[in-house]
């Protein structure tokens, strides 16, 4: 099933690239095609953070380690999407605004999201005891989730050059975006599932060894 | 309610008396703060940077790093001879421990701010553009934000292998949204907003002192409440 998800995500991502390149619009330069990967990555990075929050609350409420594994798996997948988000954002920014990074609200929010994922994973790796790690990371996941909307609001104090909304006129563009979105979602699900299973196996192995 | 106050008072007095006797935290905070301000003053002189803006930046950098020293100590001292277990075994609510530790940190940072503000004003030749009451209010709100998050994370990092460095990573990441409105508010206080930004972009639309202060209040309320509620999960075994 996981393999199927990975294959499907690959097909959707490739078809997204194919649709975006087959569109010979007169106004869109090639670099704008980055949007078909950039926007789905940002949505997935935020969704992964929601799963980290759900995992954290679930663990604190039930004390079941499976919630902690879910949160950890989502954080790792989220870090990948946050990295893609920032990397594609930097490339776009350099071409569109002639700067690799500028303090615009959305760019600050994305950067902070990346730092929050990194901080979460550093915290996880620095606590040896399993139960304590799960408890502490659940608390940090909740606090970190509260930070994301506040970063966005506070960054509003700065001038924004980021385009707030976008729309597609051409069916090829719409298809490319939809394929990119579905492909990224499937990839995120497959990655979270894969890591979750790895954590479960590690836990079983540890119990077996003890 | 009186129970809560008594519990908070007992832990607060214990920590303040310990600090008055040992003098471990406050002198280190002040020396670190002065060094940061001094280095940034030299850098601004060499680089020919706008003094007022640099002064505000120096103040926040000094405050952030010095407050980390206070926060790091607030639970590290409880680790000696397992004092934390004694504290947790006492018939005291975990929330009271958080509030007491928060108040101790706020007191330390407030003393630091009291000493460092005149030093920064003199070093960077800043001029106060609004009433002193507003300045005190902004500093207190920023103090509460920094200590509210820092106190919770200080307890969190005690179970980790890399205490000090982890505390700075966690606190600085979470505190970024406070630093923007706090810096902005202080720039208005000292009339130090760079001339090229006055009346432009978002600063003209939403960048008023009221916006920044409301934001600081919102951050304090959200994070102190969340930290108070979650503190029990951090310290319980």
């Amino acid at each position: 099933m996981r393999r199927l998800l990975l294959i499907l995500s690959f097909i959707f991502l490739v078809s997204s690239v194919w649709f975006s390149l087959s569109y010979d619009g007169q106004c869109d330069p090639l670099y704008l095609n980055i949007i078909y990967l950039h926007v789905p990555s940002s949505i997935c990075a935020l969704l992964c953070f929601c799963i980290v929050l759900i995992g954290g609350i679930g663990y604190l409420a039930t004390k079941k380690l499976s919630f902690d594994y879910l949160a950890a798996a989502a954080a790792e997948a989220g870090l990948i999407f946050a990295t893609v988000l920032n990397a594609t954002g930097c490339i776009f920014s350099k071409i569109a605004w002639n700067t690799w990074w500028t303090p615009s609200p959305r760019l600050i929010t994305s950067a902070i999201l990346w730092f929050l994922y990194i901080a979460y994973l550093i915290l996880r790796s620095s606590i040896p005891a399993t139960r304590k790690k799960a408890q502490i990371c659940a608390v940090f996941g909740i606090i970190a989730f509260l930070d994301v909307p506040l970063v966005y609001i506070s960054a509003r104090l700065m001038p924004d050059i980021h385009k707030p909304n976008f729309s597609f006129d051409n069916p090829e563009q719409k298809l490319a975006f939809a394929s990119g979105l579905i492909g990224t979602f499937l990839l995120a699900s497959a990655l979270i599932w894969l890591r979750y299973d790895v954590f479960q196996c590690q836990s079983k192995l540890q119990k077996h060894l003890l | 309610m009186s129970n809560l106050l008594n519990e908070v008072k007992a832990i607060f007095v214990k920590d303040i008396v310990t600090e008055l006797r040992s003098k471990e935290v406050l002198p280190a905070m002040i020396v670190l703060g002065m060094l940061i301000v001094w280095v940034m003053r030299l850098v601004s002189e060499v680089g020919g940077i706008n003094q007022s803006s640099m002064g505000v930046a120096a103040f926040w950098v000094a405050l952030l790093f010095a407050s980390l020293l206070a926060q790091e100590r607030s639970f590290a001292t409880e680790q000696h001879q397992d004092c934390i277990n004694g504290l947790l075994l006492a018939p005291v609510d975990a929330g009271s421990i958080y509030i007491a530790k928060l108040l101790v940190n706020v007191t330390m940072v407030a003393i630091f701010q009291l000493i460092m503000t005149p030093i920064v004003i003199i070093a960077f030749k800043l001029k106060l553009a609004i009433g002193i009451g507003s300045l005190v209010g902004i500093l207190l709100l920023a103090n509460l934000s920094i200590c509210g998050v820092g106190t919770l994370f200080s307890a969190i990092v005690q179970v980790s292998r890399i205490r000090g460095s982890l505390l700075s990573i966690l606190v600085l990441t979470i505190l970024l949204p406070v630093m923007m409105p706090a810096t902005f508010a202080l720039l208005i206080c000292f009339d130090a907003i760079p001339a090229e930004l006055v009346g432009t972009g978002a600063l003209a639309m939403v960048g008023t002192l009221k916006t920044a202060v409301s934001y600081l209040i919102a951050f304090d309320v959200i994070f102190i409440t969340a930290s108070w509620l979650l503190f029990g999960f951090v310290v319980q075994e």
Side-chain angles (χ1 to χ4, degrees):
Chain A
M1 185 67 184
R2 240 181 5 232
R3 203 168 285 174
L4 180 73
L5 273 180
L6 279 171
I7 293 166
L8 279 175
S9 76
F10 180 74
I11 292 168
F12 274 106
L13 287 173
V14 169
S15 53
S16 166
V17 174
W18 189 75
F19 283 128
S20 64
L21 293 179
S22 66
Y23 164 63
D24 59 341
Q26 290 138 6
C27 50
D28 279 7
L30 193 64
Y31 73 88
L32 279 184
N33 290 330
I34 222 164
I35 205 163
Y36 306 122
L37 186 63
H38 179 74
V39 177
S41 296
S42 76
I43 296 170
C44 276
L46 273 174
L47 280 179
C48 286
F49 225 103
C50 294
I51 299 173
V52 173
L53 173 79
I54 293 165
I57 294 172
Y59 178 79
L60 292 181
T62 63
K63 301 285 173 203
K64 281 184 183 164
L65 277 172
S66 49
F67 281 107
D68 179 55
Y69 300 149
L70 178 70
E76 288 182 8
L79 178 64
I80 294 171
F81 290 107
T83 309
V84 171
L85 165 72
N86 284 296
T88 50
C90 283
I91 297 166
F92 182 88
S93 171
K94 180 66 185 166
I95 301 166
W97 307 315
N98 198 27
T99 170
W100 288 107
W101 198 83
T102 176
S104 129
R106 275 161 209 256
L107 271 62
I108 294 172
T109 317
S110 318
I112 279 291
L113 191 69
W114 190 82
F115 276 114
L116 286 173
Y117 275 127
I118 290 278
Y120 181 89
L121 293 173
I122 292 175
L123 180 66
R124 273 198 86 78
S125 63
S126 72
I127 305 170
T130 314
R131 285 275 167 194
K132 198 71 193 173
K133 182 195 321 197
Q135 201 147 322
I136 296 289
C137 288
V139 171
F140 183 74
I142 296 168
I143 292 282
F145 187 82
L146 291 175
D147 210 42
V148 176
L150 289 171
V151 175
Y152 186 74
I153 300 166
S154 79
R156 282 270 161 216
L157 286 170
M158 296 186 173
D160 193 0
I161 58 168
H162 196 287
K163 202 176 173 186
N165 294 309
F166 57 90
S167 57
F168 300 118
D169 314 317
N170 199 291
E172 272 97 356
Q173 282 181 309
K174 284 178 187 168
L175 269 173
F177 184 72
S179 301
L181 200 60
I182 296 168
T184 323
F185 278 157
L186 291 175
L187 184 65
S189 321
L191 287 174
I192 293 172
W193 195 349
L194 182 74
R195 286 303 290 162
Y196 177 80
D197 277 358
V198 170
F199 286 128
Q200 290 276 25
C201 289
Q202 275 178 346
S203 151
K204 277 180 195 161
L205 191 67
Q206 270 173 357
K207 271 182 200 161
H208 189 71
L209 288 173
L210 289 172
Chain B
M1 188 66 188
S2 67
N3 236 2
L4 176 91
L5 286 177
N6 285 336
E7 290 164 8
V8 170
K9 191 181 152 196
I11 301 168
F12 176 78
V13 170
K14 169 190 84 76
D15 276 15
I16 292 290
V17 169
T18 312
E19 173 55 24
L20 285 176
R21 286 182 188 164
S22 66
K23 296 178 190 67
E24 277 181 344
V25 180
L26 213 50
M29 284 171 73
I30 293 164
V31 173
L32 177 69
M34 285 170 80
L35 275 171
I36 291 172
V37 168
W38 184 61
V39 167
M40 290 190 78
R41 178 72 181 85
L42 289 181
V43 169
S44 70
E45 199 65 47
V46 173
I49 306 163
N50 180 316
Q51 293 281 306
S52 329
S53 316
M54 193 67 170
V56 171
F59 180 78
W60 286 122
V61 173
L63 178 64
L64 269 179
F65 283 96
S67 64
L68 279 173
L69 286 182
Q71 289 149 12
E72 195 188 351
R73 292 297 297 164
S74 69
F75 280 93
T77 47
E78 304 292 354
Q79 299 300 317
H80 295 306
Q81 295 177 336
D82 266 349
C83 289
I84 187 74
N85 284 334
L87 202 59
L88 293 172
L89 284 170
V92 176
D93 181 47
S96 308
I97 301 176
Y98 171 75
I99 298 287
K101 292 286 183 186
L102 170 67
L103 288 177
V104 173
N105 284 336
V106 167
T107 311
M108 297 288 179
V109 175
I111 296 170
F112 173 83
Q113 288 176 327
L114 198 67
I115 296 167
M116 285 311 294
T117 311
I119 292 175
V120 173
I121 289 176
I122 294 164
F124 288 90
K125 297 172 192 153
L126 298 174
K127 281 182 191 130
L128 199 60
I130 57 164
I132 197 151
S134 310
L135 177 68
V136 171
I138 291 161
L139 292 180
L140 191 65
L141 285 172
N143 182 352
L144 279 170
S145 312
I146 295 168
C147 294
V149 174
T151 307
L152 177 76
F153 287 158
S154 168
I156 282 181
V157 298
Q158 295 311 315
V159 292
S160 136
R161 285 183 294 235
I162 43 164
R163 289 175 192 172
S165 48
L166 184 63
L167 181 68
S168 46
I169 292 171
L170 299 182
V171 171
L172 295 180
T173 311
I174 298 284
L175 278 183
L176 191 110
V178 175
M179 281 304 105
M180 281 184 277
T183 308
F184 183 72
L186 215 58
L187 282 170
I188 295 176
C189 282
F190 291 115
D191 200 14
I193 292 182
E196 65 271 19
L197 285 179
V198 173
T200 60
L203 286 176
M205 287 183 288
V206 290
T208 60
L209 188 61
K210 202 176 156 192
T211 320
V213 170
S214 338
Y215 183 86
L216 283 174
I217 293 171
F219 186 95
D220 286 351
V221 171
I222 293 169
F223 275 84
I224 291 176
T225 312
S227 303
W228 179 57
L229 293 172
L230 292 169
F231 186 76
F233 292 110
V234 174
V235 288
Q236 78 186 23
E237 286 300 322

